Amino acid sequence: MRIATWNVNGIRARLEFVLHWLDARRPDLVGLQELKVTDEQFPYAEIEAAGYQSAVLGQKGWNGVAVLSRDGVEVTQSGLAGQEELGSRLLTARLGELSFTTIYAPNGKSVDHDDYERKLAWFDALAGHLDGRTGGAEQAVVCGDFNVVPAPLDSWDEQRLHGSVFHTDEERARIHRLYDMGLEDLFRKLEPESRTFSWWDYRGGAFHRNQGLRIDYLLATGNVAARVCSVETDRDYRKKKDGMTASDHAPVIAELTAPS
DNA sequence: ATGTCGGAATTATTCCGA
């Protein structure tokens, strides 16, 4: 089973690119973020023609998340209670025994901006919501754009950026709280030393300079993490392709063995 | 060069968010 997360930066602008990727990579279950469409504007038919059912939590213009599945989607959670004013940023679907949540964390802008405190509060609400859903025999994946660089190794320039947004101890504490709740970072589990990014700024030739951040991840409960056999950051889909413009994020894909 | 995108507001240009 292949699971993936991808911030597409606008599903209307990226549809051709996403269809190309679905056809090439054939993931079974995908979390998409930053759709920038209402539910009605989502291209259900085109995605269905590619072999996927879609569950969508959209909004006009900004944010928005979706779960794509080859085997149907039963939505069990749509939105994060109490955080609605920050936009459409969480969606959970159940596939058999597996709970699959995709999130798009608030950006925070900068540590001295009001949005930064709202970002921290959003993560606290996320932890509160997930509490009790990631322990015991629960099988869960929580994936998406976390907008936090979890450790110094995940930044292209920790020395310069430490303490700035995405790189603060407060944000990292929120990610560690998720780890403490039993969620493991699938990429880090398999690649403990690798400096591999998932996002590069459009500006300044950041991609070609490899000035990026690892802010997109697949977290999973231990019983799911035990099944992971490979994790890839799909850099090829951060590149222009046949005249199509890429998102500023690359997909992250993990392969899981069948449940025992 | 704070250098690029996608989308909104508003009507082809400017602003905003990332």
Side-chain angles (χ1 to χ4, degrees), chain A residues 113-181:
Chain A
H113 195 285
D114 288 346
D115 283 8
Y116 176 72
E117 292 300 329
R118 294 192 189 105
K119 176 182 190 176
L120 298 178
W122 187 91
F123 271 108
D124 291 340
L126 175 65
H129 169 69
L130 292 175
D131 195 27
R133 292 178 162 92
T134 58
E138 297 285 340
Q139 298 179 32
V141 169
V142 181
C143 68
D145 176 0
F146 288 77
N147 271 325
V148 176
V149 173
L153 181 60
D154 299 308
S155 177
W156 69 278
D157 194 348
E158 172 72 14
Q159 203 162 15
R160 188 166 93 188
L161 297 171
H162 181 77
S164 65
V165 74
F166 296 21
H167 295 73
T168 69
D169 294 341
E170 293 169 309
E171 291 166 296
R172 288 174 177 167
R174 268 55 180 195
I175 302 303
H176 278 266
R177 183 162 173 205
L178 301 178
Y179 301 159
D180 291 342
M181 292 169 62

Side-chain angles (χ1 to χ4, degrees), chain A residues 4-255:
Chain A
T5 182
W6 193 9
N7 178 324
V8 297
N9 189 22
I11 189 65
R12 283 175 293 189
R14 209 71 58 218
L15 181 58
E16 262 193 287
F17 213 92
V18 169
L19 294 174
H20 192 286
W21 176 79
L22 289 171
D23 188 50
R25 304 304 192 217
R26 300 260 159 204
D28 296 288
L29 198 46
V30 184
L32 298 180
Q33 305 88 38
E34 238 187 316
L35 303 175
K36 298 185 174 181
V37 288
T38 62
D39 293 1
E40 295 72 26
Q41 293 170 317
F42 187 85
Y44 291 96
E46 291 87 342
I47 302 262
E48 180 154 14
Y52 294 84
Q53 301 290 311
S54 305
V56 177
L57 179 64
Q59 70 176 85
K60 186 180 178 184
W62 312 106
N63 308 315
V65 288
V67 175
L68 312 187
S69 169
R70 301 181 72 81
D71 299 315
V73 280
E74 178 202 348
V75 172
T76 55
Q77 180 73 31
S78 193
L80 184 55
Q83 299 295 313
E84 292 82 2
E85 80 230 26
L86 288 184
S88 298
R89 296 179 179 276
L90 182 145
L91 186 63
T92 303
R94 176 162 285 279
L95 287 301
E97 293 303 300
L98 180 67
S99 166
F100 186 87
T101 297
T102 192
I103 66 115
Y104 174 43
N107 178 289
K109 291 195 177 71
S110 64
V111 294
D112 55 2
H113 195 285
D114 288 346
D115 283 8
Y116 176 72
E117 292 300 329
R118 294 192 189 105
K119 176 182 190 176
L120 298 178
W122 187 91
F123 271 108
D124 291 340
L126 175 65
H129 169 69
L130 292 175
D131 195 27
R133 292 178 162 92
T134 58
E138 297 285 340
Q139 298 179 32
V141 169
V142 181
C143 68
D145 176 0
F146 288 77
N147 271 325
V148 176
V149 173
L153 181 60
D154 299 308
S155 177
W156 69 278
D157 194 348
E158 172 72 14
Q159 203 162 15
R160 188 166 93 188
L161 297 171
H162 181 77
S164 65
V165 74
F166 296 21
H167 295 73
T168 69
D169 294 341
E170 293 169 309
E171 291 166 296
R172 288 174 177 167
R174 268 55 180 195
I175 302 303
H176 278 266
R177 183 162 173 205
L178 301 178
Y179 301 159
D180 291 342
M181 292 169 62
L183 293 169
E184 295 182 46
D185 182 330
L186 298 184
F187 179 81
R188 266 297 162 245
K189 181 183 170 76
L190 295 190
E191 301 283 349
E193 310 286 343
S194 170
R195 188 183 300 274
T196 299
F197 308 132
S198 64
W199 172 86
W200 298 259
D201 202 309
Y202 280 127
R203 295 167 291 188
F207 183 67
H208 285 99
R209 296 167 198 259
N210 200 27
Q211 297 177 345
L213 305 174
R214 195 174 73 88
I215 55 177
D216 303 88
Y217 13 105
L218 297 151
L219 306 181
T221 50
N223 43 23
V224 176
R227 295 162 49 197
V228 67
C229 47
S230 72
V231 183
E232 180 198 4
T233 298
D234 203 349
R235 277 181 65 97
D236 194 43
Y237 279 85
R238 176 59 180 79
K239 301 172 183 171
K240 269 197 164 67
K241 194 175 290 291
D242 308 333
M244 296 182 286
T245 303
S247 170
D248 45 355
H249 297 252
V252 182
I253 310 172
E255 176 91 33

